[in-house]
Amino acid sequence: MMKQVILCLALLVGTEAFVHQSSSAASVSLKAAPLDDMVGVSVETGDKVFDPLGLAQIHGLIKDDEEHFGVWPSPQWLRESELKHCRVAMLAFVGAIVQSTGVHFPGSLFGQYYEGGKNFISGEALASAFKTCPSGMAQILVTIWLIESKNFPDGAWMGYMDRAPGDFGLNFFNAKNDPAAQLKELKNGRLAMIGIIGLSSAYFIPGSVPFTIPSVN
């Protein structure tokens, strides 16, 4: 039951992701105001903001409430979080597909190996990883620390971060100045989040994803 609840919540979080690309259609709804300057809306939602739960509005609604202001993030933080999840999901989905074809990295680091077949939901896999391959885990944690310390979204929660959400100082193919490229990243990332959730659900809850072919061990 808990797995199904987690799956539903994961899919629900994505509802605040579809945000407005420009301010030209601000009259669509007063609800869209906090999202007017963000890329994200397209034909999938009829070129309109899709935020049925009003998650992007909560921060603004409580901004004058001294007791509760700060308990809910701004749209700036939500977009930073969305992009980070998009990018991780795209890497994860590609990795899952590549490994399903039988392509695997050797996995050895200073003679240490990760153990297979461990349950990551119960925490067994994480404990096993630190025990059997501490060098690999140290490498992962140091890499995360280097990226996060340099690009920490300071001020994003309250809506005054001094950089664009997801901007880590890189500008491949001039994407910073190309809204169409930014929209492509969001679309691919959103699909990848659904995809990796689907793969995970099908693996841990057989039969939970329609039209999938049962895995053969």
Side-chain angles (χ1 to χ4, degrees), residues 102 124 155 183 189 202:
E124 180 187 24
L183 183 60

Side-chain angles (χ1 to χ4, degrees), residues 114-118 128:
Y114 294 109
E115 290 183 309
K118 301 297 181 179
S128 173

